[in-house]
């Protein structure tokens, strides 16, 4: 490792224990929330028996909805281990979780294509699930329950690495900053696809978690 202290930008504010990993590695850290989430009020009187959540934000929005208790009798499918944990901690029945929406869709089409689904989404969601369901004539309804807003920040000092946790954070970052020689660390392939429009210097986490993005960052810069 070089003598120069490695400077890292995180495009979301990290939890204290997550931040400590980088500080313990003697990295310098700048952090800011490059996106903000606004939860939508929505009417929810009934749903289909199978529910889909592709983010923790969708779960949090549904939990804020007063009329959500009947949902706990439904079967859930989700994207992300943290999404699964949040659902189960709040009494939801999760049959299966996946790292990516593509994997979730493939599983549902193979095993449950005859079922009907309620998909809780955000305004910037990818088309993966709706398109696959429409093509395969799977019955579903979509309820938009939150909105992602870009909140760009100008980073004025040089940095060595940038941590990205969503495609929208990439879009927000490049509104105010130019990526040149920095190495970008991405939580998953969807985020990497977005960063690839700007640079080919990126590393994808082995698992789509914040902690693994941090581990990949430390390992990268500790290589001799």
């Amino acid at each position: 490792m070089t003598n120069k202290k490695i400077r890292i930008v995180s495009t979301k504010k990290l939890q204290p224990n997550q931040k400590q990993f980088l500080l313990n590695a003697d990295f310098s850290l700048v952090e800011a929330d490059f996106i903000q989430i606004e939860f939508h009020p929505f009417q929810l009187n009934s749903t289909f028996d199978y529910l889909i959540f592709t983010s923790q934000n969708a779960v949090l929005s549904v939990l804020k909805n007063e009329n959500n208790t009947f949902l706990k009798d439904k079967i859930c499918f989700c994207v992300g281990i943290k999404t699964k944990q949040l659902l189960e901690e709040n009494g939801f029945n999760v049959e299966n979780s996946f790292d990516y929406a593509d994997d979730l869709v493939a599983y549902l089409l193979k095993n449950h294509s005859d079922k009907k689904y309620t998909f809780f989404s955000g305004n910037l969601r990818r088309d993966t699930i709706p398109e696959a369901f429409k093509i395969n004539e799977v019955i579903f309804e979509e309820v938009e329950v939150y909105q992602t807003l870009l909140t760009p920040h100008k980073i004025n000092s040089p940095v060595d690495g940038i941590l990205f946790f969503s495609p929208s954070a990439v879009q927000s970052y490049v509104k105010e900053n130019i990526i040149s020689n920095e190495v970008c660390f991405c939580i998953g392939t969807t985020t990497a696809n977005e960063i690839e429009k700007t640079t080919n210097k990126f590393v994808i986490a082995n698992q789509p978690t914040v902690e693994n993005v941090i581990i990949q960052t430390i390992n990268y810069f500790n290589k001799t």
Side-chain angles (χ1 to χ4, degrees), residues 80-224:
I81 188 66
K82 296 289 179 69
T83 309
K84 179 177 187 284
Q85 289 171 354
L86 184 59
L87 283 165
E88 290 180 338
E89 286 168 3
N90 286 279
F92 286 80
N93 174 22
V94 180
E95 179 172 312
N96 218 329
S97 68
F98 303 85
D99 285 344
Y100 295 102
D102 305 80
D103 299 329
L104 181 149
V105 163
Y107 175 86
L108 295 181
L109 292 179
K110 181 179 179 181
N111 298 284
H112 299 295
S113 61
D114 58 329
K115 301 298 192 297
K116 301 175 183 178
Y117 297 90
T118 297
F119 172 32
F120 296 103
S121 69
N123 64 311
L124 298 184
R125 63 109 176 99
R126 293 171 64 211
D127 295 331
T128 306
I129 293 172
E131 282 188 356
F133 280 177
K134 287 172 186 174
I135 290 169
N136 292 277
E137 299 182 343
V138 175
I139 297 171
F140 77 102
E141 61 179 353
E142 182 174 2
V143 183
E144 186 177 298
V145 296
Y146 71 93
Q147 185 173 13
T148 302
L149 306 174
L150 304 189
T151 54
H153 301 268
K154 180 69 176 172
I155 304 298
N156 292 311
S157 52
V159 299
D160 301 292
I162 312 167
L163 313 186
F164 289 108
F165 305 99
S166 68
S168 49
V170 177
Q171 294 164 9
S172 180
Y173 188 89
V174 299
K175 280 185 176 293
E176 291 286 342
N177 305 279
I178 295 172
I179 297 174
S180 51
N181 293 319
E182 302 92 332
V183 182
C184 300
F185 298 89
C186 305
I187 197 166
T189 55
T190 313
T191 302
N193 290 341
E194 187 66 36
I195 202 66
E196 200 170 15
K197 299 173 184 176
T198 305
T199 179
N200 60 5
K201 292 186 69 172
F202 60 87
V203 175
I204 304 174
N206 295 333
Q207 298 172 326
T209 64
V210 174
E211 289 78 11
N212 197 260
V213 173
I214 293 170
I215 289 168
Q216 295 298 324
T217 305
I218 294 170
N219 289 345
Y220 179 90
F221 287 110
N222 277 333
K223 282 190 298 188
T224 53

Side-chain angles (χ1 to χ4, degrees), residues 13-26:
K13 290 184 179 175
L14 302 174
Q15 298 295 326
N17 61 319
Q18 296 167 342
K19 190 187 310 185
Q20 200 60 47
F21 284 125
L22 291 164
L23 299 180
N24 288 346
D26 201 29

